[in-house]
Amino acid sequence: MKSKAVILGANYYIGLSIIRCLGIHDIPVVAVDYSTKGSYALHSKYCTETLIGPHYKKDSTGFLNFLIDYGKKQDSPPVLFPGADPYVEFIDEHLNILKEYYLIPQTEQGLYTKVMNKETLHALAEKHGMLVPETLRPNEENFLQKVEEIIKFPCLVKPTDSPAFVSKFRKKLFKVYTMEELQSSLQLAQDANLEVIVQRIIPGFDDHMYTFDAYLNQDAKVTHWMTCQKFRQYPINFGASVYTGQRHVPELYDIGAKFLEDIGFKGFAEIEFKKDAETGKFYLIEINVRTTNLNSLLDKAGINMPYLGYSELTGHPVKPYAITQDTNLVFWYAFEDFLAVKNYLETGQLKFGQVLKSYFQPKAYAIWDWKDPKPGFVFLGDLFGRGFRKIFKTKG
């Protein structure tokens, strides 16, 4: 009997994409969330089981016991997949106990968190010769003077702990244009008890953002990889991918694979780079250590990352493979892309003709799948429901 795959998080399309990538291979898929509300991935036809457990943060002990109890009942250890950053942090914190009951690619406790944390990641990157944007800490000597001389305005105020920051402010960072805005943003972060860094903006439009997506085996060697180029993000300029294309950039392999192997990383990782519009050099921006937003694109292009992890951990590794040609495929999250396009057009960063032309490329959708349509319909139903409630609340 096949080992089960347990996916943590069903209220976002990352979890849904993991479910589909495994379900198409007839792997028993168990989807877990803390609520049925908004968890449209629970409606996928590929779900063998759907479970509602305690909240990973509000009742972390209860959630840990929930997972342990489930793992104990299985004939063979399930493979555990986090569908969002908070689940990665949870797994990392409890790695030593969870790996007694689940198969997890990463074996070094703390490495996930070290790579997710902006401050420790940058220190690690600099140690291994990776370019990172110039960065200052608010507690540094002559901090304000250094901001004016080294960082300059506008600049970014970024969290060291992204999931906590996003949970509090509903955005990934603050972009500030003046010293007054900088000090105000720093105060907001301090009041929320969140550590932040101040960083130089690497010049270049959103299409200067690239990704190196890789799977590293249990020997910490890259076995599968491809690269992508972002075209649109939401929120625009400093958000998540909403329209991104596969594009082969060999240089990113040379930079990214060596770094990930040198730090002993195992499992899936996505390094985000920004290409400096003035120098052409690639700067490391961040690393995603869970299945990426672009997972449906990676799969359609020919690399099923969740299946690679499942196969290796259950004793059936897939032979190495890389996408080394351009496929013209793009990832499209229509709902947020429409919001992004509105902002791009309003700010003059894109023209209508450019946007219209882009929609004629072959696509890998974030949520929609003709073979598994119900999650898409449930998502749309929830979306329209929220819209109606907002309208009537406003009228009332």
Side-chain angles (χ1 to χ4, degrees), residues 183-195:
Q183 293 176 320
S184 175
S185 297
L186 294 177
Q187 189 61 53
L188 284 173
Q190 183 177 326
D191 292 343
N193 199 30
L194 293 170
E195 292 185 6

Side-chain angles (χ1 to χ4, degrees), residues 2-212:
K2 290 183 178 180
S3 295
K4 295 179 180 178
V6 175
I7 291 82
L8 305 182
N11 61 1
Y12 196 54
Y13 61 81
I14 292 177
L16 176 60
S17 70
I18 300 172
I19 290 167
R20 286 170 171 165
C21 280
L22 298 171
I24 58 174
H25 289 282
D26 296 321
I27 293 166
V29 172
V30 183
V32 179
D33 213 297
Y34 55 83
S35 173
T36 57
K37 185 178 180 181
S39 299
Y40 51 87
L42 296 177
H43 298 274
S44 172
K45 72 176 186 179
Y46 296 111
C47 289
T48 307
E49 297 176 57
T50 56
L51 304 175
I52 302 299
H55 194 284
Y56 55 84
K57 189 172 184 179
K58 295 177 181 177
D59 184 11
S60 59
T61 300
F63 186 53
L64 178 61
N65 291 332
F66 171 83
L67 290 177
I68 291 172
D69 290 343
Y70 185 81
K72 284 180 176 178
K73 296 174 184 176
Q74 308 311 309
D75 295 330
S76 57
V79 183
L80 193 60
F81 290 89
D85 287 343
Y87 288 114
V88 178
E89 292 181 326
F90 180 88
I91 291 172
D92 200 25
E93 182 180 355
H94 303 287
L95 182 62
N96 289 336
I97 182 68
L98 286 172
K99 67 184 181 183
E100 294 181 23
Y101 306 98
Y102 292 88
L103 300 176
I104 302 168
Q106 195 53 259
T107 55
E108 178 188 336
Q109 185 171 28
L111 185 56
Y112 275 147
T113 303
K114 187 184 295 184
V115 172
M116 290 174 67
N117 182 287
K118 298 293 189 299
E119 193 163 17
T120 52
L121 171 61
H122 280 211
L124 200 60
E126 288 176 336
K127 178 182 176 182
H128 290 274
M130 297 275 280
L131 286 176
V132 294
E134 290 83 349
T135 302
L136 295 174
R137 283 79 185 168
N139 59 357
E140 288 188 27
E141 188 176 353
N142 301 320
F143 167 70
L144 297 180
Q145 180 182 342
K146 289 179 180 178
V147 168
E148 291 183 326
E149 294 177 355
I150 301 172
I151 304 297
K152 304 184 186 303
F153 291 101
C155 61
L156 305 177
V157 177
K158 300 177 71 172
T160 58
D161 182 352
S162 289
F165 189 92
V166 172
S167 177
K168 175 66 178 178
F169 297 110
R170 295 299 172 191
K171 57 176 64 179
K172 295 177 68 173
L173 50 80
F174 297 133
K175 183 178 181 181
V176 298
Y177 294 83
T178 65
M179 187 61 73
E180 291 72 22
E181 289 183 8
L182 171 62
Q183 293 176 320
S184 175
S185 297
L186 294 177
Q187 189 61 53
L188 284 173
Q190 183 177 326
D191 292 343
N193 199 30
L194 293 170
E195 292 185 6
V196 293
I197 55 178
V198 179
Q199 197 171 86
R200 179 174 77 92
I201 296 176
I202 304 300
F205 180 57
D206 289 3
D207 61 1
H208 282 62
M209 294 294 299
Y210 293 80
T211 68
F212 171 68

Side-chain angles (χ1 to χ4, degrees), residues 7 48 55 75 105 110 125 133 140 148 150 195 221 240 244 268 280 292 295 312 328 330-331 350 388:
I7 291 82
T48 307
H55 194 284
D75 295 330
E140 288 188 27
E148 291 183 326
I150 301 172
E195 292 185 6
K221 298 297 180 184
T244 295
F268 173 79
T292 175
N295 191 50
E312 186 192 15
N328 202 37
V330 295
F331 163 82
L350 286 176
F388 280 125

Side-chain angles (χ1 to χ4, degrees), residues 12-14 240-241 270 288 290-296 331 366:
Y12 196 54
Y13 61 81
I14 292 177
S241 299
E270 177 184 78
N288 294 313
R290 41 80 186 146
T291 302
T292 175
N293 298 51
L294 307 178
N295 191 50
S296 61
F331 163 82

Side-chain angles (χ1 to χ4, degrees), residues 331-346:
F331 163 82
W332 189 36
Y333 182 25
F335 170 58
E336 289 194 347
D337 185 47
F338 290 145
L339 298 175
V341 165
K342 179 177 180 291
N343 294 154
Y344 283 120
L345 295 176
E346 288 174 344

